[in-house]
Amino acid sequence: MTYLLPHIFTTLNIFFGFYAIVKVIDGDFFKASLGIFLAIFFDIFDGRIARLFKIQSRFGLEYDSLCDLVSFGIAPALLIYQFSLKGFNKIGWSASFLYATCVALRLARFNVKNLFKKSYFEGLPSPAGAGILASSVLFLLKTDIDPIYKTYGLLILTYLVAYLLVSPIQYPSFKEFKIKKAQAFYFLVFFILGLTIIASNPSFYLFIIFSFYLLLGPFLFFKNNRKNFFKNFTKKGTFKS
């Protein structure tokens, strides 16, 4: 039973991903976004359960990737297309197609490199990519905002997320994040506090959280490489008078 537990969570991942697709077809973008977030929830825990019980396997990795492609590739691509990009005709569906393809490429690269024990992700993780698109839809559904942000803003965002998925920019994975026994109580308090804050306005706070993580990778990349960046410009004589 222990061996099946991670696969059960992975199956719930694709279940809610498929649920999101059905709701997109029905035109219920709120429930479609909710389905994607539930898929993210179960995707987070399937890998952690496998590591906890030391039952990681090649089958589990491949199954997880195929489910991720549905939940975090196809479902968000259809959601963002039907919600906003449909009005752009060929440009709209090609942007959605590019996003879905970049998710597939990112998952394939992850499997080939087999980054089980890395403390970082190479490129934006596909659940985070799906999360930023779904949270953007939720935010725009609940906010009286200029229609241009629902069209051109989401078009630009889709291209940006697609690039970050296959980019070499590193994102923290938090896989090696461990809580000491003495810190468990305080972590629980902060977790409940954070959950309460998010529950007060989920469409806003989920958008803020995923946007922060989206920008965290480029920020850390620039921070870690700024010395080399400025050094290269200096060598080329950019700053010479």
Side-chain angles (χ1 to χ4, degrees):
M1 184 62 184
T2 303
Y3 176 78
L4 289 176
L5 194 58
H7 303 321
I8 292 172
F9 273 72
T10 304
T11 304
L12 288 170
N13 165 7
I14 193 173
F15 172 83
F16 284 108
F18 185 77
Y19 170 83
I21 293 173
V22 172
K23 289 304 169 183
V24 169
I25 295 172
D26 292 341
D28 192 337
F29 302 125
F30 177 82
K31 288 184 179 179
S33 301
L34 182 62
I36 291 172
F37 283 118
L38 288 171
I40 292 172
F41 173 82
F42 287 107
D43 180 68
I44 289 172
F45 284 99
D46 64 355
R48 279 161 177 74
I49 290 172
R51 288 189 292 273
L52 178 64
F53 292 103
K54 298 180 180 179
I55 48 177
Q56 294 167 292
S57 66
R58 190 70 191 180
F59 172 82
L61 178 67
E62 298 295 343
Y63 183 43
D64 181 68
S65 294
L66 290 171
C67 293
D68 286 355
L69 179 58
V70 174
S71 299
F72 311 134
I74 304 302
L78 288 175
L79 171 64
I80 208 71
Y81 174 73
Q82 288 295 116
F83 178 73
S84 174
L85 305 188
K86 192 174 183 179
F88 288 102
N89 297 320
K90 291 182 179 180
I91 295 176
W93 68 255
S94 62
S96 300
F97 169 74
L98 177 66
Y99 168 81
T101 304
C102 287
V103 170
L105 290 171
R106 194 232 177 277
L107 291 169
R109 181 177 65 182
F110 179 88
N111 288 0
V112 169
K113 293 191 174 183
N114 199 13
L115 302 176
F116 269 132
K117 298 182 179 180
K118 293 290 186 181
S119 59
Y120 62 86
F121 293 113
E122 184 178 349
L124 181 70
S126 55
I132 187 61
L133 294 185
S135 63
S136 297
V137 170
L138 278 181
F139 179 73
L140 291 171
L141 281 172
K142 297 293 183 179
T143 307
D144 185 16
I145 199 168
D146 195 305
I148 193 170
Y149 294 107
K150 294 183 179 181
T151 53
Y152 289 97
L154 285 180
L155 179 66
I156 294 170
L157 179 64
T158 303
Y159 278 112
L160 174 63
V161 174
Y163 164 73
L164 290 174
L165 285 165
V166 295
S167 71
I169 295 175
Q170 296 177 1
Y171 282 82
S173 68
F174 304 112
K175 289 181 180 180
E176 298 179 358
F177 178 73
K178 295 180 180 179
I179 304 170
K180 295 180 181 179
K181 190 175 181 180
Q183 300 172 332
F185 174 78
Y186 299 102
F187 179 81
L188 180 61
V189 171
F190 282 112
F191 176 77
I192 295 173
L193 178 62
L195 195 62
T196 305
I197 293 172
I198 292 173
S200 66
N201 193 347
S203 60
F204 175 74
Y205 287 111
L206 285 172
F207 176 72
I208 293 298
I209 291 170
F210 279 99
S211 296
F212 174 79
Y213 189 75
L214 179 78
L215 297 173
L216 182 60
F219 172 77
L220 293 176
F221 178 81
F222 177 75
K223 181 182 177 182
N224 295 332
N225 295 278
R226 60 182 177 181
K227 291 182 179 179
N228 293 333
F229 179 80
F230 288 118
K231 187 184 293 183
N232 290 336
F233 270 104
T234 304
K235 285 182 179 178
K236 292 178 181 179
T238 305
F239 296 118
K240 291 182 181 180
S241 57

mmCIF file with all atom_site columns, all heavy atoms in Angstrom, residues 160-182:
data_model
loop_
_atom_site.group_PDB
_atom_site.id
_atom_site.type_symbol
_atom_site.label_atom_id
_atom_site.label_alt_id
_atom_site.label_comp_id
_atom_site.label_asym_id
_atom_site.label_entity_id
_atom_site.label_seq_id
_atom_site.pdbx_PDB_ins_code
_atom_site.Cartn_x
_atom_site.Cartn_y
_atom_site.Cartn_z
_atom_site.occupancy
_atom_site.B_iso_or_equiv
_atom_site.pdbx_formal_charge
_atom_site.auth_seq_id
_atom_site.auth_comp_id
_atom_site.auth_asym_id
_atom_site.auth_atom_id
_atom_site.pdbx_PDB_model_num
ATOM 1   N N   . LEU A 1 160 ? 6.118  34.806 -21.865 1.00 0.00 ? 160 LEU A N   1
ATOM 2   C CA  . LEU A 1 160 ? 7.143  34.903 -20.830 1.00 0.00 ? 160 LEU A CA  1
ATOM 3   C C   . LEU A 1 160 ? 7.265  33.596 -20.050 1.00 0.00 ? 160 LEU A C   1
ATOM 4   O O   . LEU A 1 160 ? 8.375  33.088 -19.833 1.00 0.00 ? 160 LEU A O   1
ATOM 5   C CB  . LEU A 1 160 ? 6.814  36.055 -19.874 1.00 0.00 ? 160 LEU A CB  1
ATOM 6   C CG  . LEU A 1 160 ? 7.726  36.201 -18.641 1.00 0.00 ? 160 LEU A CG  1
ATOM 7   C CD1 . LEU A 1 160 ? 9.157  36.499 -19.075 1.00 0.00 ? 160 LEU A CD1 1
ATOM 8   C CD2 . LEU A 1 160 ? 7.200  37.283 -17.708 1.00 0.00 ? 160 LEU A CD2 1
ATOM 9   N N   . VAL A 1 161 ? 6.129  33.046 -19.645 1.00 0.00 ? 161 VAL A N   1
ATOM 10  C CA  . VAL A 1 161 ? 6.140  31.793 -18.889 1.00 0.00 ? 161 VAL A CA  1
ATOM 11  C C   . VAL A 1 161 ? 6.695  30.658 -19.737 1.00 0.00 ? 161 VAL A C   1
ATOM 12  O O   . VAL A 1 161 ? 7.472  29.825 -19.254 1.00 0.00 ? 161 VAL A O   1
ATOM 13  C CB  . VAL A 1 161 ? 4.719  31.456 -18.385 1.00 0.00 ? 161 VAL A CB  1
ATOM 14  C CG1 . VAL A 1 161 ? 4.692  30.074 -17.733 1.00 0.00 ? 161 VAL A CG1 1
ATOM 15  C CG2 . VAL A 1 161 ? 4.245  32.507 -17.378 1.00 0.00 ? 161 VAL A CG2 1
ATOM 16  N N   . ALA A 1 162 ? 6.328  30.635 -21.014 1.00 0.00 ? 162 ALA A N   1
ATOM 17  C CA  . ALA A 1 162 ? 6.836  29.593 -21.917 1.00 0.00 ? 162 ALA A CA  1
ATOM 18  C C   . ALA A 1 162 ? 8.359  29.645 -21.994 1.00 0.00 ? 162 ALA A C   1
ATOM 19  O O   . ALA A 1 162 ? 9.040  28.606 -21.958 1.00 0.00 ? 162 ALA A O   1
ATOM 20  C CB  . ALA A 1 162 ? 6.224  29.765 -23.308 1.00 0.00 ? 162 ALA A CB  1
ATOM 21  N N   . TYR A 1 163 ? 8.907  30.855 -22.094 1.00 0.00 ? 163 TYR A N   1
ATOM 22  C CA  . TYR A 1 163 ? 10.370 30.994 -22.140 1.00 0.00 ? 163 TYR A CA  1
ATOM 23  C C   . TYR A 1 163 ? 11.019 30.541 -20.828 1.00 0.00 ? 163 TYR A C   1
ATOM 24  O O   . TYR A 1 163 ? 12.011 29.797 -20.839 1.00 0.00 ? 163 TYR A O   1
ATOM 25  C CB  . TYR A 1 163 ? 10.771 32.440 -22.423 1.00 0.00 ? 163 TYR A CB  1
ATOM 26  C CG  . TYR A 1 163 ? 12.229 32.702 -22.101 1.00 0.00 ? 163 TYR A CG  1
ATOM 27  C CD1 . TYR A 1 163 ? 13.241 32.194 -22.918 1.00 0.00 ? 163 TYR A CD1 1
ATOM 28  C CD2 . TYR A 1 163 ? 12.598 33.406 -20.947 1.00 0.00 ? 163 TYR A CD2 1
ATOM 29  C CE1 . TYR A 1 163 ? 14.577 32.390 -22.612 1.00 0.00 ? 163 TYR A CE1 1
ATOM 30  C CE2 . TYR A 1 163 ? 13.927 33.608 -20.638 1.00 0.00 ? 163 TYR A CE2 1
ATOM 31  C CZ  . TYR A 1 163 ? 14.913 33.100 -21.467 1.00 0.00 ? 163 TYR A CZ  1
ATOM 32  O OH  . TYR A 1 163 ? 16.235 33.291 -21.149 1.00 0.00 ? 163 TYR A OH  1
ATOM 33  N N   . LEU A 1 164 ? 10.455 30.968 -19.711 1.00 0.00 ? 164 LEU A N   1
ATOM 34  C CA  . LEU A 1 164 ? 11.047 30.632 -18.414 1.00 0.00 ? 164 LEU A CA  1
ATOM 35  C C   . LEU A 1 164 ? 11.024 29.136 -18.149 1.00 0.00 ? 164 LEU A C   1
ATOM 36  O O   . LEU A 1 164 ? 11.897 28.608 -17.451 1.00 0.00 ? 164 LEU A O   1
ATOM 37  C CB  . LEU A 1 164 ? 10.312 31.375 -17.291 1.00 0.00 ? 164 LEU A CB  1
ATOM 38  C CG  . LEU A 1 164 ? 10.538 32.897 -17.245 1.00 0.00 ? 164 LEU A CG  1
ATOM 39  C CD1 . LEU A 1 164 ? 9.651  33.535 -16.186 1.00 0.00 ? 164 LEU A CD1 1
ATOM 40  C CD2 . LEU A 1 164 ? 12.006 33.224 -16.972 1.00 0.00 ? 164 LEU A CD2 1
ATOM 41  N N   . LEU A 1 165 ? 10.054 28.428 -18.702 1.00 0.00 ? 165 LEU A N   1
ATOM 42  C CA  . LEU A 1 165 ? 9.977  26.977 -18.515 1.00 0.00 ? 165 LEU A CA  1
ATOM 43  C C   . LEU A 1 165 ? 11.199 26.263 -19.091 1.00 0.00 ? 165 LEU A C   1
ATOM 44  O O   . LEU A 1 165 ? 11.696 25.294 -18.499 1.00 0.00 ? 165 LEU A O   1
ATOM 45  C CB  . LEU A 1 165 ? 8.709  26.436 -19.192 1.00 0.00 ? 165 LEU A CB  1
ATOM 46  C CG  . LEU A 1 165 ? 7.382  26.692 -18.476 1.00 0.00 ? 165 LEU A CG  1
ATOM 47  C CD1 . LEU A 1 165 ? 6.216  26.427 -19.420 1.00 0.00 ? 165 LEU A CD1 1
ATOM 48  C CD2 . LEU A 1 165 ? 7.243  25.832 -17.231 1.00 0.00 ? 165 LEU A CD2 1
ATOM 49  N N   . VAL A 1 166 ? 11.694 26.735 -20.228 1.00 0.00 ? 166 VAL A N   1
ATOM 50  C CA  . VAL A 1 166 ? 12.809 26.053 -20.896 1.00 0.00 ? 166 VAL A CA  1
ATOM 51  C C   . VAL A 1 166 ? 14.129 26.810 -20.733 1.00 0.00 ? 166 VAL A C   1
ATOM 52  O O   . VAL A 1 166 ? 15.140 26.424 -21.313 1.00 0.00 ? 166 VAL A O   1
ATOM 53  C CB  . VAL A 1 166 ? 12.503 25.859 -22.400 1.00 0.00 ? 166 VAL A CB  1
ATOM 54  C CG1 . VAL A 1 166 ? 11.326 24.917 -22.587 1.00 0.00 ? 166 VAL A CG1 1
ATOM 55  C CG2 . VAL A 1 166 ? 12.217 27.206 -23.076 1.00 0.00 ? 166 VAL A CG2 1
ATOM 56  N N   . SER A 1 167 ? 14.109 27.874 -19.956 1.00 0.00 ? 167 SER A N   1
ATOM 57  C CA  . SER A 1 167 ? 15.322 28.675 -19.754 1.00 0.00 ? 167 SER A CA  1
ATOM 58  C C   . SER A 1 167 ? 16.283 27.969 -18.801 1.00 0.00 ? 167 SER A C   1
ATOM 59  O O   . SER A 1 167 ? 15.893 27.054 -18.072 1.00 0.00 ? 167 SER A O   1
ATOM 60  C CB  . SER A 1 167 ? 14.948 30.047 -19.172 1.00 0.00 ? 167 SER A CB  1
ATOM 61  O OG  . SER A 1 167 ? 14.532 29.906 -17.820 1.00 0.00 ? 167 SER A OG  1
ATOM 62  N N   . PRO A 1 168 ? 17.560 28.390 -18.777 1.00 0.00 ? 168 PRO A N   1
ATOM 63  C CA  . PRO A 1 168 ? 18.520 27.823 -17.825 1.00 0.00 ? 168 PRO A CA  1
ATOM 64  C C   . PRO A 1 168 ? 18.446 28.479 -16.451 1.00 0.00 ? 168 PRO A C   1
ATOM 65  O O   . PRO A 1 168 ? 19.243 28.157 -15.565 1.00 0.00 ? 168 PRO A O   1
ATOM 66  C CB  . PRO A 1 168 ? 19.870 28.114 -18.500 1.00 0.00 ? 168 PRO A CB  1
ATOM 67  C CG  . PRO A 1 168 ? 19.631 29.380 -19.259 1.00 0.00 ? 168 PRO A CG  1
ATOM 68  C CD  . PRO A 1 168 ? 18.205 29.304 -19.737 1.00 0.00 ? 168 PRO A CD  1
ATOM 69  N N   . ILE A 1 169 ? 17.524 29.398 -16.255 1.00 0.00 ? 169 ILE A N   1
ATOM 70  C CA  . ILE A 1 169 ? 17.401 30.105 -14.978 1.00 0.00 ? 169 ILE A CA  1
ATOM 71  C C   . ILE A 1 169 ? 17.001 29.128 -13.878 1.00 0.00 ? 169 ILE A C   1
ATOM 72  O O   . ILE A 1 169 ? 16.081 28.323 -14.056 1.00 0.00 ? 169 ILE A O   1
ATOM 73  C CB  . ILE A 1 169 ? 16.367 31.245 -15.090 1.00 0.00 ? 169 ILE A CB  1
ATOM 74  C CG1 . ILE A 1 169 ? 16.860 32.301 -16.084 1.00 0.00 ? 169 ILE A CG1 1
ATOM 75  C CG2 . ILE A 1 169 ? 16.096 31.882 -13.736 1.00 0.00 ? 169 ILE A CG2 1
ATOM 76  C CD1 . ILE A 1 169 ? 15.859 33.401 -16.361 1.00 0.00 ? 169 ILE A CD1 1
ATOM 77  N N   . GLN A 1 170 ? 17.683 29.195 -12.749 1.00 0.00 ? 170 GLN A N   1
ATOM 78  C CA  . GLN A 1 170 ? 17.450 28.270 -11.651 1.00 0.00 ? 170 GLN A CA  1
ATOM 79  C C   . GLN A 1 170 ? 16.411 28.820 -10.673 1.00 0.00 ? 170 GLN A C   1
ATOM 80  O O   . GLN A 1 170 ? 16.445 29.992 -10.299 1.00 0.00 ? 170 GLN A O   1
ATOM 81  C CB  . GLN A 1 170 ? 18.757 27.983 -10.908 1.00 0.00 ? 170 GLN A CB  1
ATOM 82  C CG  . GLN A 1 170 ? 19.794 27.269 -11.760 1.00 0.00 ? 170 GLN A CG  1
ATOM 83  C CD  . GLN A 1 170 ? 21.103 27.051 -11.024 1.00 0.00 ? 170 GLN A CD  1
ATOM 84  O OE1 . GLN A 1 170 ? 21.249 27.422 -9.864  1.00 0.00 ? 170 GLN A OE1 1
ATOM 85  N NE2 . GLN A 1 170 ? 22.058 26.422 -11.688 1.00 0.00 ? 170 GLN A NE2 1
ATOM 86  N N   . TYR A 1 171 ? 15.504 27.939 -10.285 1.00 0.00 ? 171 TYR A N   1
ATOM 87  C CA  . TYR A 1 171 ? 14.486 28.256 -9.290  1.00 0.00 ? 171 TYR A CA  1
ATOM 88  C C   . TYR A 1 171 ? 14.667 27.340 -8.080  1.00 0.00 ? 171 TYR A C   1
ATOM 89  O O   . TYR A 1 171 ? 14.918 26.136 -8.257  1.00 0.00 ? 171 TYR A O   1
ATOM 90  C CB  . TYR A 1 171 ? 13.080 28.052 -9.850  1.00 0.00 ? 171 TYR A CB  1
ATOM 91  C CG  . TYR A 1 171 ? 12.610 29.170 -10.758 1.00 0.00 ? 171 TYR A CG  1
ATOM 92  C CD1 . TYR A 1 171 ? 12.984 29.204 -12.103 1.00 0.00 ? 171 TYR A CD1 1
ATOM 93  C CD2 . TYR A 1 171 ? 11.800 30.189 -10.282 1.00 0.00 ? 171 TYR A CD2 1
ATOM 94  C CE1 . TYR A 1 171 ? 12.552 30.227 -12.935 1.00 0.00 ? 171 TYR A CE1 1
ATOM 95  C CE2 . TYR A 1 171 ? 11.364 31.218 -11.115 1.00 0.00 ? 171 TYR A CE2 1
ATOM 96  C CZ  . TYR A 1 171 ? 11.742 31.222 -12.428 1.00 0.00 ? 171 TYR A CZ  1
ATOM 97  O OH  . TYR A 1 171 ? 11.319 32.248 -13.252 1.00 0.00 ? 171 TYR A OH  1
ATOM 98  N N   . PRO A 1 172 ? 14.553 27.865 -6.868  1.00 0.00 ? 172 PRO A N   1
ATOM 99  C CA  . PRO A 1 172 ? 14.689 27.007 -5.673  1.00 0.00 ? 172 PRO A CA  1
ATOM 100 C C   . PRO A 1 172 ? 13.596 25.954 -5.636  1.00 0.00 ? 172 PRO A C   1
ATOM 101 O O   . PRO A 1 172 ? 12.437 26.243 -5.966  1.00 0.00 ? 172 PRO A O   1
ATOM 102 C CB  . PRO A 1 172 ? 14.563 27.995 -4.507  1.00 0.00 ? 172 PRO A CB  1
ATOM 103 C CG  . PRO A 1 172 ? 13.908 29.199 -5.071  1.00 0.00 ? 172 PRO A CG  1
ATOM 104 C CD  . PRO A 1 172 ? 14.304 29.280 -6.509  1.00 0.00 ? 172 PRO A CD  1
ATOM 105 N N   . SER A 1 173 ? 13.957 24.729 -5.263  1.00 0.00 ? 173 SER A N   1
ATOM 106 C CA  . SER A 1 173 ? 12.990 23.628 -5.247  1.00 0.00 ? 173 SER A CA  1
ATOM 107 C C   . SER A 1 173 ? 12.412 23.373 -3.858  1.00 0.00 ? 173 SER A C   1
ATOM 108 O O   . SER A 1 173 ? 11.349 22.763 -3.736  1.00 0.00 ? 173 SER A O   1
ATOM 109 C CB  . SER A 1 173 ? 13.659 22.348 -5.748  1.00 0.00 ? 173 SER A CB  1
ATOM 110 O OG  . SER A 1 173 ? 14.635 21.902 -4.822  1.00 0.00 ? 173 SER A OG  1
ATOM 111 N N   . PHE A 1 174 ? 13.124 23.776 -2.825  1.00 0.00 ? 174 PHE A N   1
ATOM 112 C CA  . PHE A 1 174 ? 12.706 23.569 -1.431  1.00 0.00 ? 174 PHE A CA  1
ATOM 113 C C   . PHE A 1 174 ? 12.585 22.084 -1.076  1.00 0.00 ? 174 PHE A C   1
ATOM 114 O O   . PHE A 1 174 ? 11.956 21.726 -0.080  1.00 0.00 ? 174 PHE A O   1
ATOM 115 C CB  . PHE A 1 174 ? 11.371 24.274 -1.136  1.00 0.00 ? 174 PHE A CB  1
ATOM 116 C CG  . PHE A 1 174 ? 11.382 25.748 -1.448  1.00 0.00 ? 174 PHE A CG  1
ATOM 117 C CD1 . PHE A 1 174 ? 10.621 26.244 -2.495  1.00 0.00 ? 174 PHE A CD1 1
ATOM 118 C CD2 . PHE A 1 174 ? 12.157 26.627 -0.713  1.00 0.00 ? 174 PHE A CD2 1
ATOM 119 C CE1 . PHE A 1 174 ? 10.622 27.605 -2.802  1.00 0.00 ? 174 PHE A CE1 1
ATOM 120 C CE2 . PHE A 1 174 ? 12.170 27.991 -1.011  1.00 0.00 ? 174 PHE A CE2 1
ATOM 121 C CZ  . PHE A 1 174 ? 11.402 28.472 -2.050  1.00 0.00 ? 174 PHE A CZ  1
ATOM 122 N N   . LYS A 1 175 ? 13.174 21.204 -1.910  1.00 0.00 ? 175 LYS A N   1
ATOM 123 C CA  . LYS A 1 175 ? 13.111 19.772 -1.620  1.00 0.00 ? 175 LYS A CA  1
ATOM 124 C C   . LYS A 1 175 ? 13.900 19.406 -0.367  1.00 0.00 ? 175 LYS A C   1
ATOM 125 O O   . LYS A 1 175 ? 13.551 18.469 0.342   1.00 0.00 ? 175 LYS A O   1
ATOM 126 C CB  . LYS A 1 175 ? 13.658 18.969 -2.814  1.00 0.00 ? 175 LYS A CB  1
ATOM 127 C CG  . LYS A 1 175 ? 12.761 18.986 -4.039  1.00 0.00 ? 175 LYS A CG  1
ATOM 128 C CD  . LYS A 1 175 ? 13.359 18.166 -5.145  1.00 0.00 ? 175 LYS A CD  1
ATOM 129 C CE  . LYS A 1 175 ? 12.474 18.174 -6.380  1.00 0.00 ? 175 LYS A CE  1
ATOM 130 N NZ  . LYS A 1 175 ? 13.060 17.371 -7.483  1.00 0.00 ? 175 LYS A NZ  1
ATOM 131 N N   . GLU A 1 176 ? 14.972 20.153 -0.130  1.00 0.00 ? 176 GLU A N   1
ATOM 132 C CA  . GLU A 1 176 ? 15.825 19.841 1.017   1.00 0.00 ? 176 GLU A CA  1
ATOM 133 C C   . GLU A 1 176 ? 15.490 20.692 2.237   1.00 0.00 ? 176 GLU A C   1
ATOM 134 O O   . GLU A 1 176 ? 16.240 20.746 3.190   1.00 0.00 ? 176 GLU A O   1
ATOM 135 C CB  . GLU A 1 176 ? 17.296 20.033 0.624   1.00 0.00 ? 176 GLU A CB  1
ATOM 136 C CG  . GLU A 1 176 ? 17.725 19.097 -0.510  1.00 0.00 ? 176 GLU A CG  1
ATOM 137 C CD  . GLU A 1 176 ? 19.179 19.310 -0.903  1.00 0.00 ? 176 GLU A CD  1
ATOM 138 O OE1 . GLU A 1 176 ? 19.814 20.206 -0.314  1.00 0.00 ? 176 GLU A OE1 1
ATOM 139 O OE2 . GLU A 1 176 ? 19.665 18.579 -1.778  1.00 0.00 ? 176 GLU A OE2 1
ATOM 140 N N   . PHE A 1 177 ? 14.352 21.386 2.173   1.00 0.00 ? 177 PHE A N   1
ATOM 141 C CA  . PHE A 1 177 ? 13.924 22.207 3.291   1.00 0.00 ? 177 PHE A CA  1
ATOM 142 C C   . PHE A 1 177 ? 13.466 21.301 4.434   1.00 0.00 ? 177 PHE A C   1
ATOM 143 O O   . PHE A 1 177 ? 12.552 20.495 4.276   1.00 0.00 ? 177 PHE A O   1
ATOM 144 C CB  . PHE A 1 177 ? 12.795 23.138 2.869   1.00 0.00 ? 177 PHE A CB  1
ATOM 145 C CG  . PHE A 1 177 ? 12.259 23.992 3.982   1.00 0.00 ? 177 PHE A CG  1
ATOM 146 C CD1 . PHE A 1 177 ? 12.996 25.055 4.463   1.00 0.00 ? 177 PHE A CD1 1
ATOM 147 C CD2 . PHE A 1 177 ? 11.030 23.716 4.545   1.00 0.00 ? 177 PHE A CD2 1
ATOM 148 C CE1 . PHE A 1 177 ? 12.508 25.851 5.486   1.00 0.00 ? 177 PHE A CE1 1
ATOM 149 C CE2 . PHE A 1 177 ? 10.525 24.503 5.556   1.00 0.00 ? 177 PHE A CE2 1
ATOM 150 C CZ  . PHE A 1 177 ? 11.275 25.573 6.030   1.00 0.00 ? 177 PHE A CZ  1
ATOM 151 N N   . LYS A 1 178 ? 14.117 21.418 5.573   1.00 0.00 ? 178 LYS A N   1
ATOM 152 C CA  . LYS A 1 178 ? 13.806 20.573 6.720   1.00 0.00 ? 178 LYS A CA  1
ATOM 153 C C   . LYS A 1 178 ? 13.474 21.439 7.930   1.00 0.00 ? 178 LYS A C   1
ATOM 154 O O   . LYS A 1 178 ? 14.083 22.476 8.152   1.00 0.00 ? 178 LYS A O   1
ATOM 155 C CB  . LYS A 1 178 ? 14.988 19.652 7.050   1.00 0.00 ? 178 LYS A CB  1
ATOM 156 C CG  . LYS A 1 178 ? 15.290 18.638 5.946   1.00 0.00 ? 178 LYS A CG  1
ATOM 157 C CD  . LYS A 1 178 ? 16.452 17.751 6.320   1.00 0.00 ? 178 LYS A CD  1
ATOM 158 C CE  . LYS A 1 178 ? 16.744 16.744 5.208   1.00 0.00 ? 178 LYS A CE  1
ATOM 159 N NZ  . LYS A 1 178 ? 17.901 15.870 5.540   1.00 0.00 ? 178 LYS A NZ  1
ATOM 160 N N   . ILE A 1 179 ? 12.502 20.963 8.696   1.00 0.00 ? 179 ILE A N   1
ATOM 161 C CA  . ILE A 1 179 ? 12.071 21.680 9.891   1.00 0.00 ? 179 ILE A CA  1
ATOM 162 C C   . ILE A 1 179 ? 12.566 20.925 11.119  1.00 0.00 ? 179 ILE A C   1
ATOM 163 O O   . ILE A 1 179 ? 12.308 19.724 11.272  1.00 0.00 ? 179 ILE A O   1
ATOM 164 C CB  . ILE A 1 179 ? 10.535 21.791 9.938   1.00 0.00 ? 179 ILE A CB  1
ATOM 165 C CG1 . ILE A 1 179 ? 10.018 22.452 8.669   1.00 0.00 ? 179 ILE A CG1 1
ATOM 166 C CG2 . ILE A 1 179 ? 10.088 22.570 11.159  1.00 0.00 ? 179 ILE A CG2 1
ATOM 167 C CD1 . ILE A 1 179 ? 8.508  22.390 8.531   1.00 0.00 ? 179 ILE A CD1 1
ATOM 168 N N   . LYS A 1 180 ? 13.285 21.630 11.959  1.00 0.00 ? 180 LYS A N   1
ATOM 169 C CA  . LYS A 1 180 ? 13.753 21.014 13.193  1.00 0.00 ? 180 LYS A CA  1
ATOM 170 C C   . LYS A 1 180 ? 12.582 20.831 14.145  1.00 0.00 ? 180 LYS A C   1
ATOM 171 O O   . LYS A 1 180 ? 11.587 21.554 14.099  1.00 0.00 ? 180 LYS A O   1
ATOM 172 C CB  . LYS A 1 180 ? 14.829 21.888 13.836  1.00 0.00 ? 180 LYS A CB  1
ATOM 173 C CG  . LYS A 1 180 ? 16.092 22.004 12.996  1.00 0.00 ? 180 LYS A CG  1
ATOM 174 C CD  . LYS A 1 180 ? 17.121 22.878 13.688  1.00 0.00 ? 180 LYS A CD  1
ATOM 175 C CE  . LYS A 1 180 ? 18.379 23.002 12.832  1.00 0.00 ? 180 LYS A CE  1
ATOM 176 N NZ  . LYS A 1 180 ? 19.405 23.876 13.463  1.00 0.00 ? 180 LYS A NZ  1
ATOM 177 N N   . LYS A 1 181 ? 12.716 19.868 15.034  1.00 0.00 ? 181 LYS A N   1
ATOM 178 C CA  . LYS A 1 181 ? 11.632 19.550 15.957  1.00 0.00 ? 181 LYS A CA  1
ATOM 179 C C   . LYS A 1 181 ? 11.227 20.759 16.788  1.00 0.00 ? 181 LYS A C   1
ATOM 180 O O   . LYS A 1 181 ? 10.045 20.998 17.032  1.00 0.00 ? 181 LYS A O   1
ATOM 181 C CB  . LYS A 1 181 ? 12.060 18.392 16.871  1.00 0.00 ? 181 LYS A CB  1
ATOM 182 C CG  . LYS A 1 181 ? 10.931 17.830 17.706  1.00 0.00 ? 181 LYS A CG  1
ATOM 183 C CD  . LYS A 1 181 ? 11.389 16.617 18.488  1.00 0.00 ? 181 LYS A CD  1
ATOM 184 C CE  . LYS A 1 181 ? 10.235 16.037 19.309  1.00 0.00 ? 181 LYS A CE  1
ATOM 185 N NZ  . LYS A 1 181 ? 10.673 14.845 20.078  1.00 0.00 ? 181 LYS A NZ  1
ATOM 186 N N   . ALA A 1 182 ? 12.218 21.544 17.207  1.00 0.00 ? 182 ALA A N   1
ATOM 187 C CA  . ALA A 1 182 ? 11.948 22.723 18.047  1.00 0.00 ? 182 ALA A CA  1
ATOM 188 C C   . ALA A 1 182 ? 11.231 23.822 17.269  1.00 0.00 ? 182 ALA A C   1
ATOM 189 O O   . ALA A 1 182 ? 10.583 24.687 17.849  1.00 0.00 ? 182 ALA A O   1
ATOM 190 C CB  . ALA A 1 182 ? 13.252 23.264 18.625  1.00 0.00 ? 182 ALA A CB  1
#
